[in-house]
């Protein structure tokens, strides 16, 4: 490359440096589902693994690039050189070196990984921890708190600063629990229970995602961990323990009746009523939910209307049938009933 071209390219260097800094700045590392922005001890430990493998790779890169550059310069073809340089095949010392060094580095990473895996595994026997049973369904999450007698869906409420044990299983196919800022991926396997734990250090919403392809609706199988102060969490538990369905208006009362007659109740449980279906998510305290359809749409009356009317048009692959045969006043009545679930 000519000197002129180098000079031309060098002019872009400051711009490139700024772009790289911008990319590597905080904005790049944060984000709702960034493993690089841990919010609890488990995610922190896992980030440690990422960092150690990253630096090992950087060091290898530097050493290999340096050797390459030296070789290119020292052994380049000189003017007037017509014969081939001496051809070398094999060198036992080098072979030994580049076998043993990567093996040692991999062993180092393996030790760290195994240690971290054991540290992150939960146990059914750990005392003083709160257990939540997590069941993956196509394409939503069921959360059961056996010690509190509470069942909810898609939004996992937990108190901050407390170790939360999860017992993960699946009702149908393989799913994977992943809340990047709190805990890494763990499979939900039908007929098997996997235990992990996590802890959220600060109150806030932590976003997660099913991380194992589980069917058409997989991309819309999201979840939220709502980490609350212990006082707020207890308040939530109190609400969930004494759910009320208070359809006061005539419209909502009509909706409640419809819910029982057109089949909604065969799939959905509603706290405070006799509806006890177990195919779809529990709708207890539905108004307390931020989102619907497994964190796919904000929980607004308009979205609820469209959902009840024709869920498959909002979430591909959804296992809730379309009720598009219903007339608008009927759907409105159902929504009025859903809006009364506190
Ligand atoms: C065949 C079972 C089935 C029937 C019948 C059914 N649903 Fe569903 N419903 C589901 C499933 C499954 C989901 C979860 C969808 C998803 O997110 O993938 C769901 C989700 C919902 C949600 C969103 C809950 C949330 O937090 O995400 C609402 C609200 C709802 N259904 C209301 C109704 C109403 C009202 C009826 C009657 C008109 C009804 N459902 C009939 C299975 C059913
Ligand atoms: Cu899934």
């Amino acid at each position: 490359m000519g000197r002129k071209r180098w000079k031309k390219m060098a002019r872009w260097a400051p711009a490139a440096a700024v772009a790289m800094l911008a990319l590597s700045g905080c904005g790049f590392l944060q984000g709702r589902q960034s493993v690089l922005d841990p919010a609890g001890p488990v995610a922190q430990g896992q980030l440690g693994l990422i960092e150690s493998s990253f630096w090992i790779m950087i060091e290898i890169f530097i050493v290999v690039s340096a050797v390459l550059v030296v070789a290119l310069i020292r052994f380049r073809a000189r003017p007037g050189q017509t014969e081939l340089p001496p051809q070398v095949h094999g060198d036992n010392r080098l072979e030994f070196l580049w076998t043993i060094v990567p093996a040692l580095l991999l062993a180092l990473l393996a030790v760290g990984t195994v240690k971290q895996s054991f540290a992150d595994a939960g146990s059914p026997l750990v005392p003083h921890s709160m257990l939540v049973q997590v069941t993956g369904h196509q394409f939503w999450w069921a959360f059961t708190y056996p010690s509190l007698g509470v069942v909810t869906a898609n939004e996992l409420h937990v108190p901050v600063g407390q170790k939360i044990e999860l017992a993960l299983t699946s009702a149908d196919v393989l799913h994977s629990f992943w809340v990047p800022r709190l805990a890494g991926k763990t499979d939900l396997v039908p007929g098997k229970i996997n235990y992990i734990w996590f802890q959220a250090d600060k109150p806030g919403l932590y976003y997660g995602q099913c991380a194992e392809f589980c069917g058409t609706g997989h991309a819309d199988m999201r979840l939220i961990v709502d980490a609350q102060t212990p006082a707020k969490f207890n308040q939530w538990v109190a609400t969930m323990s004494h759910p009320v369905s208070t359809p006061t208006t005539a419209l909502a009362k009509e909706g409640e009746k419809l819910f029982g007659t057109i089949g909604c109740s065969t799939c959905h449980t509603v706290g405070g009523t006799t509806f006890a279906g177990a195919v779809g998510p529990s709708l207890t305290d539905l108004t307390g939910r931020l989102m619907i359809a497994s964190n796919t749409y904000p929980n607004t009356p308009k979205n609820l209307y469209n959902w009840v009317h024709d869920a498959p048009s909002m979430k591909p692959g959804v296992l809730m049938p379309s009720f598009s045969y219903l007339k608008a006043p009927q759907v409105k009545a159902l929504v009025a009933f859903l809006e009364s679930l506190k």
Side-chain angles (χ1 to χ4, degrees):
M1 207 182 294
R3 190 151 269 211
K4 259 193 177 159
R5 268 189 72 198
W6 270 116
K7 273 198 169 153
K8 237 184 185 170
M9 276 174 69
R11 247 184 270 155
W12 291 101
V18 168
M20 274 169 75
L21 275 177
L23 277 176
S24 61
C26 303
F28 176 57
L29 300 181
Q30 282 165 357
R32 301 204 317 184
Q33 292 186 196
S34 173
V35 289
L36 303 177
D37 187 17
V42 171
Q44 186 71 52
Q46 289 166 350
L47 178 59
L49 273 182
I50 296 176
E51 282 172 346
S52 51
S53 50
F54 177 77
W55 289 117
I56 287 177
M57 285 187 280
I58 290 289
E59 279 159 26
I60 293 173
F61 177 74
I62 290 173
V63 170
V64 171
S65 314
V67 171
L68 179 69
V69 168
V70 168
L72 282 175
I73 294 173
R74 249 192 96 180
F75 302 109
R76 70 188 187 279
R78 319 260 164 170
Q81 187 181 335
T82 48
E83 276 165 42
L84 276 178
Q87 301 294 299
V88 180
H89 297 283
D91 180 309
N92 282 343
R93 276 173 313 170
L94 278 180
E95 298 272 358
F96 181 74
L97 198 70
W98 64 52
T99 306
I100 201 78
V101 170
L104 284 176
L105 291 175
L106 286 178
L108 203 73
L109 276 179
V111 168
T113 305
V114 170
K115 248 175 93 176
Q116 188 67 38
S117 306
F118 275 96
D120 296 349
S123 154
L125 306 171
V126 170
H128 312 302
S129 63
M130 204 174 70
L131 182 80
V132 184
Q133 292 161 344
V134 180
T135 308
H137 293 260
Q138 286 175 315
F139 302 97
W140 59 280
W141 307 84
F143 301 119
T144 306
Y145 302 65
S147 58
L148 304 172
V150 166
V151 178
T152 189
N154 301 332
E155 292 175 18
L156 176 59
H157 291 247
V158 297
V160 288
Q162 193 176 326
K163 202 169 164 176
I164 313 295
E165 290 273 338
L166 299 181
L168 307 163
T169 190
S170 167
D172 36 49
V173 298
L174 290 180
H175 303 276
S176 177
F177 182 89
W178 191 33
V179 184
R181 297 191 61 206
L182 295 174
K185 300 170 184 174
T186 307
D187 275 9
L188 295 90
V189 184
K192 184 177 188 301
I193 300 178
N194 285 330
Y195 290 91
I196 58 167
W197 69 279
F198 74 91
Q199 179 181 312
D201 289 338
K202 277 192 228 139
L205 299 178
Y206 301 97
Y207 294 86
Q209 166 79 51
C210 175
E212 177 89 55
F213 181 74
C214 56
T216 312
H218 164 69
D220 289 331
M221 184 169 166
R222 294 184 269 256
L223 73 146
I224 296 176
V225 174
D226 189 351
Q228 301 174 298
T229 60
K232 279 226 175 101
F233 176 74
N234 290 336
Q235 206 180 320
W236 177 76
V237 172
T239 310
M240 292 301 288
S241 306
H242 305 281
V244 274
S245 145
T246 46
T248 43
T249 62
L251 192 66
K253 279 183 185 147
E254 192 199 323
E256 181 172 24
K257 216 155 106 202
L258 268 174
F259 196 93
T261 52
I262 60 172
C264 315
S265 60
T266 57
C267 289
H268 292 289
T269 293
V270 181
T273 71
T274 54
F275 304 140
V279 178
S282 159
L283 301 182
T284 302
D285 188 34
L286 182 70
T287 50
R289 229 164 263 172
L290 300 167
M291 306 285 284
I292 58 164
S294 215
N295 187 15
T296 304
Y297 294 96
N299 186 2
T300 62
K302 188 162 175 278
N303 284 335
L304 275 178
Y305 181 96
N306 292 334
W307 180 264
V308 173
H309 178 245
D310 191 12
S313 72
M314 292 175 78
K315 182 166 171 174
V318 73
L319 296 183
M320 170 163 155
S322 169
F323 287 87
S324 55
Y325 69 85
L326 292 176
K327 305 221 160 50
Q330 293 176 297
V331 181
K332 273 189 193 141
L334 283 164
V335 172
F337 168 60
L338 294 176
E339 287 286 312
S340 76
L341 305 177
K342 304 208 163 76

